[in-house]
Amino acid sequence: MSTKKLKIVSIAAEVAPFSKTGGLADVAKSLPKALKRLGHEVMVITPLYGQIIDTKTHNLKLIYENVKVYLNSVDKVQINFWQGYLMRGLPIYFIENKKYFSAKKELYGSRRENVRFLVFNIAALKLISLLKYEADIVHCHDWHTGLIPYFLKTDFKYSETLHKTKTIFTIHNLAFQLGHDWWAVPAEKKDYGKNKIPHITDSDIENINFAKRAILSADIINTVSEQYREEIMTTNFGQDLQQILRNREDKLFGIVNGIDYATYNPQNDPGLFKNYDCNKINNKKLNKDHLQKLLKLKVDQELPVIALTSRVTFQKGFELILQILEPLLHLDIELVFMGDGDKEYINEIKKFAKRYPKKMAWLSFKENQKMETLLYAGADIFLLPSHHEPCGINQLIAMRYGCIPVVRRVGGLMDTVANYNPRTNRGNGFSFSSFNPYSLYATIIRALENYRYQTNWHKLIFRVMRESNSWEIPAKKYVALYRQAMKRHK
């Protein structure tokens, strides 16, 4: 096996701790770090969201100013490039254009989203050329970076710096393919990935399908779990791209995400009331007491606390949750929700929280982000009954803190959560298959029944806390994929 040190560029629309709306930011931070620890040369590129990222707080240095970047023969923009560090020896570069990345406080939601990320894609390639960084691999994360593989096969094909570079495109969630809902694009306006990119003043640019072009152009495509890799080649999960994915099946792989064990560590997490590890599980109870007091719930160790931390969307199973909330709240349990998203769902959750103030609490993720790990430490059960789930990171974090997952058997949840069997003492959580409220309710009841047997429950906590879900193994799998991409001819 080759031991050559690789030169890798990782490109993503969000990178924690600088910018974050979801799990993509965690992956875009943690994977480059894991690759660096394996001895590879890595750099990261992301937009500079002016109203979110403070250049002084993060000690960013302006390295190129007012660089003219041509988007095509007519359109051009001026870009500033900044440099910071994710860790020692791992630079992160920021692309600044106030018009496209500093106009609002949110990362996304512009009516010209495709134009914004077209600018980002070309500016990222321009930066690599300016740095004369002869990358072996450009790793593109999700639709926001989808035109990079396309441009490396077209406009940048003969680039002095990039002509030997191979690309890998990671699908984090196939539902997101461009800056707007892919299904809202009229049939006659659909992008088939062959035509030239329109000028930025042409409204048709907002119909360009970044993800489709990446799938057609990348040397390697991967998803964030092995099960999701299988699912997206089917009509039910393929989001209208199943055929082109089946056509490129030999280039399509699945690698389950990891989590950063330095960031998520109950042994030294400053966000906890009392730190603990798998050998001091009783200290977890002190976090439960603290959480119950903090949220004005009934303080009672015997009451199982169920936590849910995710975006509040149909995808995450809220349609099912709302259908069983009433009977669920008649049980001897407590519920804690943390998340932002669909206003209708959130309003319904708030109504229940108002009716059952001693049994249920809802917290906005945006306003209470620092409390997230306290929820895992204080809760007994973690709930994620997703309709579809490419990987899911929260169930991995929950298990790291000894919070037992109840999930739907789909995508990455199927790859990471095995049904617990008390007779054999195997499994690490509770799962169900059919997307309906009865199956979800029955699985929660099964988890609650097992919770009553505290000796066995403690053994289950001990086992899930000892599982290895760090980035070390996934990072090695990515390196193997990179080497495979490098063997392929353009």
Side-chain angles (χ1 to χ4, degrees):
M1 184 186 252
S2 173
T3 55
K4 174 185 179 281
K5 184 169 82 170
L6 301 180
K7 295 177 80 171
I8 303 157
V9 182
S10 177
I11 307 180
E14 53 186 86
V15 182
F18 304 97
S19 56
K20 177 177 175 174
T21 64
L24 170 62
D26 292 321
V27 175
K29 172 193 78 167
S30 302
L31 176 56
K33 284 183 170 184
L35 293 167
K36 175 70 181 169
R37 290 188 192 107
L38 291 175
H40 301 285
E41 191 180 317
V42 190
M43 65 184 237
V44 177
I45 304 175
T46 195
L48 179 64
Y49 301 102
Q51 294 198 45
I52 295 164
I53 301 169
D54 189 299
T55 54
K56 288 180 181 174
T57 304
H58 292 291
N59 296 316
L60 305 186
K61 187 174 93 180
L62 184 62
I63 56 167
Y64 296 108
E65 194 171 7
N66 295 327
V67 177
K68 211 173 278 183
V69 174
Y70 284 88
L71 307 177
N72 49 52
S73 57
V74 176
D75 303 314
K76 59 183 184 289
V77 291
Q78 282 201 317
I79 301 288
N80 294 332
F81 295 103
W82 296 73
Q83 184 191 49
Y85 285 89
L86 257 184
M87 63 185 278
R88 191 174 177 182
L90 203 173
I92 178 167
Y93 296 92
F94 296 86
I95 289 167
E96 181 185 38
N97 177 286
K98 290 194 167 119
K99 178 181 175 181
Y100 291 114
F101 303 117
S102 302
K104 51 197 294 183
K105 287 182 180 176
E106 287 78 33
L107 268 61
Y108 313 119
S110 164
R111 283 179 301 160
R112 305 193 72 211
E113 206 79 323
N114 273 13
V115 174
R116 292 177 74 215
F117 287 101
L118 166 70
V119 170
F120 172 54
N121 284 210
I122 295 179
L125 292 171
K126 176 70 174 176
L127 174 63
I128 299 168
S129 298
L130 281 172
L131 294 169
K132 293 184 170 58
Y133 191 83
E134 294 182 5
D136 295 305
I137 294 290
V138 171
H139 190 154
C140 304
H141 291 276
D142 237 2
W143 79 263
H144 321 85
T145 62
L147 294 185
I148 290 171
Y150 166 78
F151 282 128
L152 283 175
K153 292 277 170 76
T154 54
D155 300 41
F156 285 79
K157 190 174 183 178
Y158 300 107
S159 160
E160 195 178 325
T161 308
L162 293 160
H163 69 281
K164 289 183 181 176
T165 301
K166 302 291 185 179
T167 55
I168 177 168
F169 178 64
T170 297
I171 299 166
H172 291 264
N173 191 334
L174 195 59
F176 305 118
Q177 300 176 17
L178 59 154
H180 316 279
D181 295 335
W182 66 262
W183 54 88
V185 178
E188 70 275 10
K189 296 278 189 180
K190 264 190 181 179
D191 176 25
Y192 290 95
K194 304 267 171 72
N195 295 339
K196 287 204 109 188
I197 306 291
H199 289 172
I200 59 172
T201 51
D202 186 339
S203 61
D204 281 347
I205 195 166
E206 293 304 326
N207 299 322
I208 293 296
N209 192 316
F210 284 48
K212 182 183 284 185
R213 289 188 180 236
I215 292 164
L216 290 169
S217 302
D219 296 293
I220 292 282
I221 310 143
N222 87 290
T223 66
V224 287
S225 71
E226 290 167 34
Q227 179 63 22
Y228 192 56
R229 183 240 182 219
E230 301 302 317
E231 290 171 355
I232 62 172
M233 288 188 283
T234 68
T235 307
N236 284 346
F237 294 95
Q239 304 283 344
D240 206 36
L241 295 179
Q242 61 272 10
Q243 190 55 58
I244 66 167
L245 286 162
R246 283 200 292 265
N247 292 345
R248 305 200 86 212
E249 187 176 356
D250 63 321
K251 295 181 180 180
L252 178 62
F253 299 85
I255 298 175
V256 173
N257 285 334
I259 56 171
D260 188 330
Y261 269 32
T263 302
Y264 298 108
N265 187 353
Q267 220 170 345
N268 56 27
D269 186 336
L272 303 193
F273 177 73
K274 183 74 176 177
N275 293 112
Y276 62 99
D277 60 22
C278 63
N279 296 311
K280 293 180 181 174
I281 290 170
N282 281 335
N283 281 353
K284 185 170 163 47
K285 292 179 179 178
L286 301 175
N287 289 288
K288 183 173 179 175
D289 282 347
H290 179 68
L291 183 69
Q292 288 172 323
K293 285 174 193 167
L294 202 62
L295 299 179
K296 297 183 171 56
L297 303 172
K298 185 181 177 185
V299 179
D300 186 343
Q301 278 295 328
E302 289 187 15
L303 283 177
V305 174
I306 300 175
L308 195 152
T309 60
S310 77
R311 283 180 293 111
V312 182
T313 61
F314 172 83
Q315 185 214 324
K316 299 295 180 181
F318 277 86
E319 195 72 27
L320 302 187
I321 292 164
L322 286 170
Q323 289 180 63
I324 64 164
L325 257 188
E326 187 71 54
L328 210 53
L329 286 163
H330 288 172
L331 303 174
D332 287 332
I333 63 159
E334 292 174 340
L335 279 167
V336 183
F337 290 82
M338 178 185 272
D340 300 302
D342 189 299
K343 287 176 183 171
E344 284 186 31
Y345 287 148
I346 289 171
N347 286 338
E348 285 300 309
I349 291 164
K350 282 180 176 177
K351 283 178 195 172
F352 277 102
K354 201 171 180 180
R355 279 170 55 202
Y356 298 93
K358 288 286 180 186
K359 298 196 75 173
M360 183 175 160
W362 173 79
L363 301 163
S364 161
F365 179 77
K366 199 174 181 181
E367 293 163 19
N368 300 279
Q369 198 171 341
K370 290 180 180 175
M371 274 183 68
E372 184 188 2
T373 53
L374 177 62
L375 263 64
Y376 301 129
D380 303 291
I381 293 166
F382 172 74
L383 188 60
L384 190 60
S386 300
H387 176 268
H388 59 279
E389 193 62 65
C391 179
I393 286 179
N394 291 16
Q395 82 278 10
L396 301 178
I397 303 169
M399 288 192 282
R400 174 81 163 140
Y401 285 75
C403 190
I404 307 303
V406 169
V407 302
R408 181 161 172 253
R409 206 176 295 127
V410 67
L413 299 174
M414 185 171 174
D415 286 342
T416 55
V417 178
N419 242 329
Y420 174 64
N421 184 331
R423 283 195 289 273
T424 60
N425 201 29
R426 287 186 177 173
N428 59 1
F430 301 87
S431 62
F432 64 100
S433 295
S434 298
F435 189 73
N436 65 59
Y438 311 106
S439 297
L440 170 58
Y441 188 78
T443 308
I444 293 171
I445 294 295
R446 190 154 51 87
L448 295 174
E449 280 298 308
N450 279 278
Y451 177 80
R452 290 170 55 201
Y453 300 93
Q454 280 292 300
T455 304
N456 284 349
W457 192 264
H458 268 241
K459 288 177 185 173
L460 181 56
I461 293 172
F462 180 78
R463 190 163 66 255
V464 300
M465 287 187 74
R466 292 190 69 193
E467 278 188 14
S468 178
N469 290 305
S470 78
W471 268 105
E472 186 183 352
I473 293 169
K476 286 176 179 174
K477 289 181 178 179
Y478 272 108
V479 171
L481 269 196
Y482 297 158
R483 296 197 191 283
Q484 197 166 327
M486 288 165 67
K487 287 176 186 172
R488 292 177 183 263
H489 297 292
K490 282 230 173 189

